[in-house]
Amino acid sequence: MSNILEITDLSKSFPLPSKKKLEILSDLNLSIESGISASIVGKSGCGKSTLLQIAASLLKPTSGSIKIDGKEISKMNERELCNLRCNKMGFIFQSSLLLEDFNALENIEMPLLIKGESKKKAEKRALELIDLVGLMDRKSHRVDQLSGGEKQRIAIARSLANSPRIIFADEPTGSLDEKNASFIEDMLLSLVRKEKTTLILVTHNNVFADKCDKKFILTFGKIEVPEVKEIKTIEDDRNDLIDFGKKIVNEQGSEKFEKSNLNIRLSSFDLAREDD
Amino acid sequence: MKDLQRILLSKILFSSQRKKLKSSYILITLVVILLVLSQVFVDSMTAGITKRYALLGSGHIETSVLNDVSSYDFIEESNDVATGAALAYGKDDISQIVMLKGVDVAYFDYKRASVILINRSEEESTLSNIFISKTLSNQLNIKLGEKLAIVANNGNQRLFPKLCFVKGIYDSGYKELDQYLIFCDKGLLNKIYKNNVMQHKEIILKDGISINQAIVKFDDDGIEAFPWYVLEGDLYQNLITSTQTLMMVFLAIALLSGFFISSVASDLIGSSHRSIAINKLLGLSSKKIRWTYFLAIEIVTLLSIFSGILFGILLSYVLPIFLQFLSLQSIPSLSWYLLEFDIIIPYKKLLFITLSLLIVSILSVYLSLRRANKIEPIYLMNQD
């Protein structure tokens, strides 16, 4: 497998009022293969979000090289970065960052419209994705009419809309309760596997990080030896989904709020099965 | 891209920003309405004053009575008139220098009747009949059918007193023109001034004929002719000054409007900071974002300018009713204005106003929208 992200000798420091520099990342090297999910964990303030922002072209490094799909991004101009973002990248953050004036479906359509797709095509793809995240009945709802979990599901669908090569996620479940968080985590991982998209996840949640194919630990501005993990297959994912569905049915039946969650998982499962 | 542009535009125009844009629309529309009304008022009043001076003062063009102008097809009519200065004595020892204008019986034809209101006395007198203005009548305290003494210096170092009968009181609506002007029979002036009477030919041009063209034509034929704006130089300069002042006011308003539109654009960008950053995160370029906001603001500006012009023109036709109401209020300062005139819509000037406002708004919005370049998606991370 080729590397989708290659970071070499990356350093990032911020100037301080005392003319000294606050060094966040120092000579960091990191390679992530295409199509896997990778988590980056570390203590608060260790620079994991800064690393993600630099990798996602949102922040310029002090020095070093960042290549996405073999192309150096640290020296790209605005036009090249726009092309990169709308064609190859997806983003999910702690707050869903949805457009307030748009409804759920329109938010998912946006990356496609920006990419240059027609409204008709964008709507078709958005409908597929909103169905995948189980919010078809909420498609016309404005953002302020959605719950936190629903907003994150829309954000996940939006991040997948333009079929990106790589999705950057920074604490995507950080603001959700445990139950919702667990559900969103599983959904995100299941969908990126189905779409064969690379996921780079920054989180302080070790349980979530462990669910990814690879886990990296960031300490003192450097990546420590990554833990070797077995990469999950679609079959593993399907088994997980079945277990999760059974658990939900046993715990809460199929009547209430969780019913929709189960449906989503089962529909994801069905899609995965079709892929097989 | 067209779909994206359309969607983004509709979101800016009809979603959270609509209140800001609505108030901007209302304000610009009101400003343009006032500009149109003041422009229509000044232009129509100027045309009304010009028309009165042409018909009652010196014609469009004045030339010597010796010139035969009957062969010129651009002339509507020509009248030989005589003029002379005199002193008029009213009641209570009030006197006033006046200008006697001797005309033929046919002088007050339908054209002139359209610009003045004449009250005629039913009484007859053996004295010479004169027509004085309403202004002069009030100044001298002389009423219709009464007698008025005038004394003229006939040029032979002798004063010539004459008692006249006020057969009519006219009102041109413009005090500046008629406060000294007395119409009488041409024979009376010949009697008073004998051989020293000043005579000239007043020429009224056909509609659409330019005074300058006519002057050039006369000049080519060796006829010395003077346009009314040379003979009434002070008045003409006043009218020009009024027009220029209005234009200066307009330019100041245009600049203020530009400043206002620019602040609306800045405000719009400021309040859309988050959505601009999200769109950039999704890959939308600064250029496309600026263009979308530019279109939104210019659509509102254009709509407000056109609404302002449309409502301004419509209200212009109500202006005479309003002015008539004002004239009935007997406000002294208004007596120096002509308050009854035909409405003329100065389309060229309105086009100039539209284009100027548009250019100012385009420049100011273009400069303000540069703020959008500085918004980076990283802003969202700091808010996260």
Side-chain angles (χ1 to χ4, degrees):
Chain A
M1 263 193 290
S2 63
N3 290 332
I4 180 82
L5 176 69
E6 276 183 78
I7 296 176
T8 316
D9 299 330
L10 174 72
S11 294
K12 179 67 186 177
S13 57
F14 292 98
L16 291 173
S18 58
K19 291 187 180 176
K20 287 181 181 173
K21 284 178 180 174
L22 174 66
E23 195 161 58
I24 304 289
L25 303 170
S26 168
D27 296 327
L28 184 145
N29 292 290
L30 175 68
S31 296
I32 293 173
E33 301 104 86
S34 182
I36 68 157
S37 56
S39 60
I40 299 168
V41 292
K43 288 178 182 171
S44 283
C46 71
K48 37 186 204 303
S49 287
T50 305
L51 173 60
L52 186 95
Q53 286 161 14
I54 293 171
S57 76
L58 304 177
L59 201 60
K60 293 274 179 199
T62 307
S63 64
S65 156
I66 304 108
K67 286 181 180 171
I68 288 182
D69 224 3
K71 284 183 181 163
E72 177 64 47
I73 65 161
S74 60
K75 291 184 178 76
M76 279 184 177
N77 60 28
E78 201 217 350
R79 194 172 55 85
E80 291 167 323
L81 284 175
C82 284
N83 277 335
L84 184 74
R85 285 178 196 148
C86 72
N87 288 306
K88 292 189 177 175
M89 290 181 176
F91 299 91
I92 311 164
F93 295 98
Q94 186 169 343
S95 65
S96 52
L97 298 183
L98 298 177
L99 293 159
E100 301 286 337
D101 291 334
F102 291 61
N103 65 28
L105 193 70
E106 288 169 335
N107 262 289
I108 303 171
E109 288 170 11
M110 274 308 277
L112 291 155
L113 293 169
I114 290 171
K115 200 176 172 181
E117 298 288 0
S118 66
K119 168 78 180 159
K120 203 176 165 186
K121 274 189 179 176
E123 193 175 316
K124 193 180 168 210
R125 167 80 172 145
L127 282 169
E128 281 170 20
L129 286 164
I130 206 165
D131 194 28
L132 271 182
V133 296
L135 289 173
M136 188 56 104
D137 56 338
R138 297 278 198 167
K139 65 176 182 178
S140 304
H141 286 218
R142 282 170 56 95
V143 171
D144 54 13
Q145 295 167 327
L146 300 172
S147 69
E150 287 168 337
K151 282 181 191 174
Q152 278 310 70
R153 279 147 73 181
I154 295 297
I156 290 170
R158 184 181 68 180
S159 73
L160 290 161
N162 55 342
S163 307
R165 299 279 331 264
I166 185 164
I167 290 177
F168 295 96
D170 189 355
E171 301 282 12
T173 56
S175 58
L176 302 177
D177 60 72
E178 205 178 324
K179 198 179 282 179
N180 250 321
S182 172
F183 168 66
I184 301 275
E185 287 160 11
D186 293 337
M187 172 189 284
L188 175 60
L189 291 168
S190 156
L191 288 173
V192 293
R193 276 179 200 131
K194 181 191 163 292
E195 297 274 329
K196 296 184 178 69
T197 303
T198 309
L199 172 72
I200 297 179
L201 168 74
V202 159
T203 181
H204 63 270
N205 178 348
N206 271 313
V207 178
F208 187 13
D210 286 338
K211 290 178 186 173
C212 293
D213 301 325
K214 269 193 174 180
K215 181 177 168 184
F216 297 92
I217 301 164
L218 185 65
T219 318
F220 301 117
K222 294 193 177 191
I223 291 284
E224 281 194 353
V225 182
E227 288 180 7
V228 178
K229 280 189 69 186
E230 190 189 336
I231 294 177
K232 274 190 166 184
T233 63
I234 196 89
E235 187 62 36
D236 299 329
D237 212 31
R238 182 165 56 185
N239 293 334
D240 281 354
L241 284 167
I242 291 167
D243 291 344
F244 187 87
K246 282 177 183 168
K247 192 177 149 195
I248 295 277
V249 172
N250 290 335
E251 276 178 8
Q252 299 185 22
S254 56
E255 296 300 318
K256 296 181 182 176
F257 166 75
E258 301 299 340
K259 181 187 173 189
S260 61
N261 292 354
L262 177 64
N263 287 341
I264 301 149
R265 300 184 68 84
L266 292 176
S267 65
S268 302
F269 164 72
D270 289 341
L271 283 162
R273 198 169 47 188
E274 280 166 22
D275 281 355
D276 293 345
Chain B
M1 189 58 206
K2 275 179 186 170
D3 284 339
L4 174 67
Q5 201 86 64
R6 188 173 44 77
I7 290 164
L8 288 175
L9 254 180
S10 69
K11 294 293 174 188
I12 296 171
L13 291 172
F14 303 113
S15 294
S16 58
Q17 308 293 349
R18 72 179 183 280
K19 276 187 184 170
K20 275 191 195 95
L21 293 170
K22 200 171 153 186
S23 57
S24 156
Y25 167 81
I26 292 170
L27 200 77
I28 298 171
T29 303
L30 284 175
V31 167
V32 176
I33 287 175
L34 290 175
L35 276 176
V36 171
L37 278 178
S38 53
Q39 195 65 60
V40 168
F41 175 72
V42 167
D43 275 39
S44 303
M45 189 174 73
T46 303
I49 291 170
T50 307
K51 189 176 178 185
R52 277 160 179 79
Y53 267 88
L55 290 172
L56 304 174
S58 50
H60 288 125
I61 292 171
E62 199 175 280
T63 187
S64 165
V65 283
L66 302 173
N67 295 319
D68 178 16
V69 293
S70 56
S71 60
Y72 293 96
D73 59 356
F74 54 78
I75 291 176
E76 174 84 29
E77 65 170 79
S78 68
N79 290 287
D80 289 351
V81 298
T83 55
L87 198 62
Y89 289 87
K91 290 176 187 168
D92 310 320
D93 292 333
I94 304 168
S95 61
Q96 172 75 52
I97 291 177
V98 293
M99 164 74 85
L100 293 174
K101 184 166 179 176
V103 296
D104 294 326
V105 182
Y107 190 75
F108 291 104
D109 58 6
Y110 73 96
K111 268 201 155 193
R112 289 184 175 84
S114 71
V115 295
I116 59 170
L117 198 68
I118 305 176
N119 277 335
R120 290 169 197 265
S121 169
E122 297 296 321
E123 290 177 44
E124 295 295 332
S125 170
T126 51
L127 297 172
S128 298
N129 290 336
I130 57 170
F131 284 53
I132 65 170
S133 67
K134 192 178 160 189
T135 317
L136 194 60
S137 156
N138 291 335
Q139 276 175 346
L140 298 175
N141 197 15
I142 296 289
K143 296 194 172 54
L144 195 65
E146 292 184 340
K147 295 176 184 71
L148 177 69
I150 54 170
V151 176
N153 182 341
N154 66 6
N156 296 328
Q157 303 301 315
R158 286 184 61 189
L159 292 176
F160 189 100
K162 182 80 183 163
L163 196 62
C164 302
F165 175 69
V166 180
K167 178 72 179 166
I169 291 181
Y170 72 89
D171 184 10
S172 74
Y174 191 50
K175 187 177 173 180
E176 191 89 355
L177 167 69
D178 65 21
Q179 64 178 334
Y180 308 116
L181 193 60
I182 293 178
F183 288 101
C184 59
D185 186 75
K186 212 160 58 178
L188 175 65
L189 267 86
N190 289 331
K191 206 182 284 179
I192 295 173
Y193 296 99
K194 304 243 167 7
N195 297 331
N196 292 323
V197 69
M198 287 172 66
Q199 293 195 72
H200 51 260
K201 196 183 287 289
E202 279 180 15
I203 295 167
I204 303 293
L205 301 174
K206 283 182 178 166
D207 288 340
I209 302 293
S210 138
I211 293 176
N212 286 344
Q213 279 178 338
I215 293 284
V216 169
K217 190 81 179 145
F218 284 137
D219 202 36
D220 289 346
D221 296 341
I223 296 174
E224 199 175 22
F226 304 95
W228 76 271
Y229 50 79
V230 170
L231 299 166
E232 302 288 351
D234 288 346
L235 172 90
Y236 182 68
Q237 274 311 315
N238 285 344
L239 294 177
I240 294 286
T241 307
S242 300
T243 311
Q244 284 172 343
T245 307
L246 186 68
M247 202 44 79
M248 300 260 283
V249 171
F250 160 69
L251 284 174
I253 290 173
L255 283 175
L256 281 174
S257 301
F259 183 74
F260 171 72
I261 295 166
S262 154
S263 71
V264 169
S266 295
D267 201 23
L268 209 59
I269 294 293
S271 57
S272 309
H273 216 98
R274 188 174 175 276
S275 62
I276 290 173
I278 293 173
N279 279 321
K280 282 193 173 184
L281 180 74
L282 299 177
L284 194 60
S285 67
S286 296
K287 196 177 164 186
K288 283 171 188 168
I289 290 170
R290 281 202 319 270
W291 177 238
T292 309
Y293 279 87
F294 178 82
L295 279 181
I297 298 166
E298 287 308 320
I299 285 172
V300 173
T301 308
L302 253 180
L303 275 177
S304 50
I305 291 173
F306 283 123
S307 308
I309 287 181
L310 188 70
F311 286 121
I313 289 174
L314 289 175
L315 284 174
S316 296
Y317 288 103
V318 188
L319 201 60
I321 299 168
F322 175 66
L323 292 174
Q324 208 173 12
F325 168 77
L326 274 184
S327 67
L328 291 172
Q329 305 308 304
S330 303
I331 301 166
S333 58
L334 287 176
S335 65
W336 295 99
Y337 291 91
L338 178 66
L339 296 176
E340 281 176 41
F341 45 77
D342 296 333
I343 291 298
I344 293 169
I345 307 296
Y347 288 104
K348 278 185 185 171
K349 284 183 182 169
L350 296 187
L351 185 68
F352 176 71
I353 289 176
T354 308
L355 290 177
S356 306
L357 281 173
L358 257 184
I359 290 168
V360 168
S361 74
I362 286 170
L363 285 175
S364 56
V365 171
Y366 177 78
L367 293 174
S368 303
L369 290 183
R370 286 189 305 180
R371 273 187 71 184
N373 292 3
K374 292 176 186 162
I375 299 172
E376 293 293 339
I378 194 70
Y379 157 85
L380 298 165
M381 310 303 118
N382 301 331
Q383 304 289 309
D384 202 15

